[in-house]
Amino acid sequence: MNFQVAMRVAGMALAMALVAPQAAYAADKVTLMFDWLPGGLHGAWYAGKTNGCFAAQNLDVSLERGFGSVDAVAKVASGVTDLGMADLGTLMLAGVRENAPVKALFPVYSESPMAIGTMASSHIATLKDLEGRSLTSAPGDSAILMLPLAMQEKGADFSKVKRMKADGSALFGLLMQGKTDAITTFMTTGRILQGIASAAGKKMDLIHFGADLNIYGSAIFASDSFINKNPQLVGRVIAAGECIYKKARQDPASAM
């Protein structure tokens, strides 16, 4: 190939490059760890993969199940996962007690759904009634961390509660079998459990102590280092989060 031909080929290649559409940048990958197993609360995030909310922010979001708010905070703080969902009270306590380097980005619940589940036959109607009774919670549960504050507000003594631990999947069974007097739960989950108990001919009661705490419930959060290194990315995550919840409110069926 002589010099003139080579120049013409190079010129044609340059012209084609200038008029060809630019390749889209690969979406930024981020991982979000939930507080527990996926449920109705998390549906909006799955919908974000198909309703355009993530695509609009050029995000590739990987969703992972959680093992409790306490565990989610630890994994985000240590960099195991980018983002987490946890109870705001747990985030606050982690910051105060352990100096955990995490910050909430935006709330999921405007009111804490923390609750105590009991069987009506146990005659536990208030937090004061928990004194001297058994209460079972799951490892990593956020409600058990906030319960002492709620009981103190009601003039009850948390130290008098007989505390036990069990896997989250076993709590309801223990309650139904009478092996524990009460369990920690969320109002969202508790309503489902009430229906199951009713189908079995039993009555389950809920004490919504989270309402008395006057704080937000679950929140999306990240570590300080992740926020400082990726401020624009964090801003896009917040925008995507606002988008998915707005669309979920407008069309709940789309997030089911």
Side-chain angles (χ1 to χ4, degrees):
M1 181 182 295
N2 61 36
F3 179 76
Q4 290 183 338
V5 173
M7 289 297 293
R8 285 200 295 271
V9 171
M12 291 173 62
L14 176 60
M16 291 176 65
L18 291 174
V19 300
Q22 296 296 311
Y25 289 106
D28 289 310
K29 294 184 177 181
V30 293
T31 302
L32 168 63
M33 174 172 282
F34 293 137
D35 43 2
W36 284 112
L37 287 170
L41 162 65
H42 312 96
W45 288 93
Y46 289 97
K49 290 178 172 291
T50 56
N51 64 13
C53 288
F54 293 161
Q57 299 300 327
N58 202 33
L59 296 174
D60 179 3
V61 184
S62 176
L63 305 173
E64 298 182 357
R65 67 149 292 179
F67 298 87
S69 290
V70 175
D71 184 70
V73 172
K75 287 180 176 174
V76 170
S78 62
V80 174
T81 184
D82 302 320
L83 306 165
M85 178 185 291
D87 174 74
L88 183 60
T90 302
L91 290 172
M92 294 165 63
L93 288 176
V96 172
R97 294 177 179 177
E98 305 165 22
N99 199 30
V102 293
K103 285 186 174 64
L105 302 179
F106 64 91
V108 176
Y109 285 143
S110 58
E111 181 179 78
S112 173
M114 293 180 179
I116 299 296
T118 68
M119 303 310 296
S121 57
S122 68
H123 303 294
I124 298 176
T126 67
L127 295 183
K128 182 73 173 176
D129 295 333
L130 286 174
E131 294 180 354
R133 310 297 290 275
S134 59
L135 170 68
T136 305
S137 61
D141 178 45
S142 57
I144 198 69
L145 294 179
M146 301 302 295
L147 183 58
L149 300 175
M151 291 188 69
Q152 182 179 344
E153 288 291 318
K154 295 297 183 179
D157 190 348
F158 180 71
S159 68
K160 295 181 180 179
V161 179
K162 301 174 183 178
R163 301 184 294 279
M164 301 187 296
K165 292 285 185 180
D167 185 80
S169 62
L171 296 183
F172 182 59
L174 294 173
L175 183 64
M176 289 283 284
Q177 296 167 28
K179 295 182 178 180
T180 184
D181 296 317
I183 61 173
T184 54
T185 186
F186 273 13
M187 290 298 292
T188 46
T189 305
R191 295 301 187 196
I192 297 173
L193 299 181
Q194 281 183 317
I196 298 173
S198 178
K202 297 184 178 182
K203 185 176 185 297
M204 178 182 174
D205 292 331
L206 294 170
I207 303 174
H208 185 193
F209 73 87
D212 300 322
L213 295 174
N214 196 30
I215 60 173
Y216 286 118
S218 297
I220 301 300
F221 69 101
S223 68
D224 290 346
S225 61
F226 185 82
I227 295 172
N228 293 335
K229 291 178 182 177
N230 310 281
Q232 293 183 339
L233 175 58
V234 170
R236 284 154 49 206
V237 169
I238 293 174
E242 293 174 344
C243 175
I244 63 169
Y245 284 117
K246 179 179 180 180
K247 290 196 174 184
R249 286 193 297 269
Q250 294 172 341
D251 183 12
S254 69
M256 291 180 63

